[in-house]
């Protein structure tokens, strides 16, 4: 029997091998009782957070990851501090700690009090979020097309937590669609919080609306924090403080002194990247966009999609 001809031999280059490896590689997660966490995330703090008893003066920023969390935190911080931005030598996760990452004891003893509020961030779904009828909860929704692209860049940019620096977007997209990423299923998460959008102590915000009209977004938050104090304070003296809030919460401003927002990302895309809406087609194919739209249509009514905005509609 003769051997294969030269023409039939498949030659695979090192570049092609690298591409194949990237396509098959998946992010590393810790599966903690069915809840996916970044590697190194303290599971004891996560368990402790579930036992936290919310207090009347708690102010929660609640989001699925990569849905405007940091931006909304900083806007709220600016409102509570008369337009003064977070200093270059401070970290937002110290001033506004992440409940699941630090646990209940830290929140109870060390969380920052600003404007009478204890500041808390969480990526918990509604069913896990500590409840108190007098605490305040700001929820921010962002459409899944932009969210999945931003979340992919986030996951690539933290190799010590995900070991996915060379991972492919298509691999990540499939995991996102199946709810196999941190904070689990995007659609279930949004469904839970949307059911509570009319609760008197919940402010349900839409990221896209905030990017389109940031002034209104800021004033909505100010009114929710205290309608007798903050709107008037922001609008006084020819809107002096409101203008400061707008300036220091802009993407250009927040890109400066980026270590305020996260740990070092040298060699990767910055944590504050685009913050855009509708820019998902940089990575997302039309077929993938249609798959996300199908999940939206299955999970929400037409009226709910209208409320969420045009980015949620096919």
């Amino acid at each position: 029997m003769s051997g294969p001809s030269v023409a039939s031999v498949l030659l695979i280059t090192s570049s092609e091998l690298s591409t194949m490896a990237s396509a098959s590689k998946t992010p590393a997660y810790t599966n903690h009782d069915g809840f996916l966490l970044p590697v190194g995330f303290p599971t004891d703090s996560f368990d402790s957070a579930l036992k936290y008893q919310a207090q009347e003066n708690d102010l929660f920023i609640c989001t699925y990851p990569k849905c405007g969390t940091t931006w909304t935190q900083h806007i709220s911080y600016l409102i509570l501090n008369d337009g003064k931005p977070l200093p270059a030598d401070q970290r937002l996760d110290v001033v506004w700690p992440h409940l699941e990452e630090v646990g209940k004891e830290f929140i109870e003893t060390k969380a920052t009090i600003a404007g009478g509020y204890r500041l808390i961030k969480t990526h918990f779904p509604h069913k896990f979020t500590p409840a108190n009828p007098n605490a305040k909860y700001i929820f921010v929704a962002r459409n899944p097309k932009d969210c999945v692209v931003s979340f992919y860049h986030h996951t690539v940019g933290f190799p010590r937590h995900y070991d996915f620096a060379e991972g492919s977007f298509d691999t990540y997209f499939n995991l996102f669609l199946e709810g196999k990423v941190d904070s689990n299923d995007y659609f279930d998460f949004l469904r839970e919080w949307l059911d509570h959008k009319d609760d008197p102590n919940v402010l349900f915000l839409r990221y896209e609306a905030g990017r389109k009209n940031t002034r209104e977004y800021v004033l909505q938050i100010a009114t929710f924090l205290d309608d007798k104090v903050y709107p008037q304070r922001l609008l006084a003296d020819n809107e002096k403080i409101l203008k400061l809030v707008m300036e220091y919460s802009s993407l250009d401003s927040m890109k400066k002194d980026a270590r305020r927002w996260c740990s070092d990302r040298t060699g990767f895309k910055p944590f504050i990247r685009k913050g855009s809406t509708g820019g998902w087609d940089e990575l997302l194919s039309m077929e993938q966009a249609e798959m996300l739209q199908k999940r939206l249509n299955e999970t929400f009514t037409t009226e709910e999609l209208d409320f969420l905005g045009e980015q949620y509609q096919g």
Side-chain angles (χ1 to χ4, degrees), residues 142-301:
R142 188 184 192 186
N143 77 83
K145 299 164 194 171
D146 286 323
C147 176
V148 67
V149 170
S150 182
F151 212 170
Y152 166 72
H153 286 301
H154 171 90
T155 304
V156 166
F158 286 105
R160 69 189 179 93
H161 290 304
Y162 300 101
D163 189 24
F164 196 61
E166 305 300 327
S168 76
F169 176 73
D170 288 346
T171 297
Y172 186 82
F173 172 83
N174 290 333
L175 294 172
F176 180 90
L177 191 65
E178 295 168 6
K180 295 179 179 178
V181 296
D182 355 357
S183 294
N184 294 30
D185 191 88
Y186 165 94
F187 302 92
D188 291 346
F189 193 104
L190 180 56
R191 173 73 272 166
E192 282 190 28
W193 277 101
L194 189 63
D195 287 338
H196 294 272
K197 72 180 178 66
D198 296 322
D199 290 3
N201 62 338
V202 171
L203 175 64
F204 190 104
L205 296 171
R206 293 155 295 176
Y207 181 79
E208 294 78 15
R211 299 306 310 173
K212 185 175 182 179
N213 188 344
T214 303
R215 185 180 189 276
E216 176 61 25
Y217 191 84
V218 171
L219 289 173
Q220 280 184 278
I221 295 172
T223 301
F224 180 70
L225 293 176
D226 193 325
D227 61 356
K228 295 180 176 60
V229 175
Y230 292 108
Q232 296 89 326
R233 190 176 293 178
L234 265 62
L235 296 171
D237 195 14
N238 195 28
E239 302 187 352
K240 178 181 177 181
I241 294 177
L242 176 58
K243 290 173 182 175
L244 290 172
V245 174
M246 298 278 288
E247 175 187 351
Y248 289 120
S249 64
S250 70
L251 287 178
D252 285 343
S253 178
M254 289 184 65
K255 285 178 179 179
K256 300 172 185 175
D257 302 313
R259 291 296 296 275
R260 291 179 294 173
W261 320 122
C262 72
S263 54
D264 184 43
R265 285 167 65 95
T266 301
F268 297 94
K269 292 188 185 237
F271 185 78
I272 303 294
R273 198 175 59 89
K274 286 187 176 181
S276 61
T277 62
W280 48 264
D281 57 357
E282 65 169 284
L283 288 175
L284 204 64
S285 69
M286 288 306 300
E287 181 183 3
Q288 289 169 331
E290 289 169 2
M291 293 166 76
L292 292 174
Q293 190 61 50
K294 182 174 183 292
R295 287 292 309 277
L296 285 170
N297 295 343
E298 292 170 348
T299 309
F300 304 100
T301 67

Side-chain angles (χ1 to χ4, degrees), residues 106-130:
F106 185 99
I107 297 296
E108 289 168 348
T109 61
K110 298 180 181 178
T112 302
I113 303 294
Y117 289 110
R118 177 159 50 187
L119 309 180
I120 306 170
K121 160 191 161 182
T122 183
H123 292 314
F124 270 153
H126 186 275
K127 63 188 174 188
F128 289 165
T129 302

Side-chain angles (χ1 to χ4, degrees), residues 61-75:
I61 300 290
C62 312
T63 64
Y64 190 82
K66 310 314 294 178
C67 289
T69 320
T70 302
W71 186 54
T72 306
Q73 282 177 276
H74 196 225
I75 287 175

Side-chain angles (χ1 to χ4, degrees), residues 8-9 24 33 46 89 95 132 149 205 218 259 272 291-292:
S8 69
V9 175
S24 62
D33 295 330
F46 183 93
D89 61 350
V95 174
N132 184 306
V149 170
L205 296 171
V218 171
R259 291 296 296 275
I272 303 294
M291 293 166 76
L292 292 174

